[in-house]
Amino acid sequence: AYEQTVGDTNDSVATLQQEIASKTKAKADAHKDKLQTESDIADTESELEGLAKYNSELHAECDYILKNFDARQAARAQEIEALQQAKQILSGASLN
């Protein structure tokens, strides 16, 4: 009976040591995955900050273009009209 108990205890201890080793490895793997994920999150946040900065710069550019669109369109219309008049003058027409 004693020998049976010692044998069972030794088997139990061996099994528990294997479980400890297995769980320790799993914990180390989980920790490694956690560190990798945290690094990925930091990289993604950095990339998002860069994209947000680019977005604001692009938005400012577009706002400038939209703000000055009417003035530029009027200037282009005047240029076109002046070129048409010059073309008429060169072709012999008189302006009255």
Side-chain angles (χ1 to χ4, degrees):
Y2 172 76
E3 293 168 358
Q4 180 69 27
T5 303
V6 170
D8 290 344
T9 302
N10 288 339
D11 291 343
S12 178
V13 167
T15 302
L16 291 173
Q17 286 177 340
Q18 288 176 345
E19 285 183 32
I20 288 171
S22 174
K23 288 181 181 181
T24 301
K25 184 180 183 309
K27 180 181 174 186
D29 290 343
H31 183 68
K32 179 181 167 189
D33 290 345
K34 178 185 171 202
L35 292 177
Q36 181 63 44
T37 302
E38 287 173 348
S39 174
D40 291 347
I41 288 171
D43 292 344
T44 302
E45 286 174 348
S46 175
E47 185 177 349
L48 284 173
E49 288 172 6
L51 288 173
K53 181 180 176 188
Y54 175 71
N55 184 33
S56 67
E57 291 170 357
L58 191 60
H59 202 287
E61 262 183 62
C62 289
D63 287 347
Y64 174 78
I65 290 172
L66 287 174
K67 179 179 150 187
N68 294 313
F69 178 76
D70 291 333
R72 292 178 63 182
Q73 192 174 26
R76 292 303 145 304
Q78 289 175 355
E79 288 176 9
I80 290 171
E81 184 179 339
L83 287 171
Q84 287 173 342
Q85 288 176 359
K87 185 178 172 185
Q88 289 173 357
I89 290 171
L90 290 174
S91 65
S94 65
L95 295 175
N96 292 330

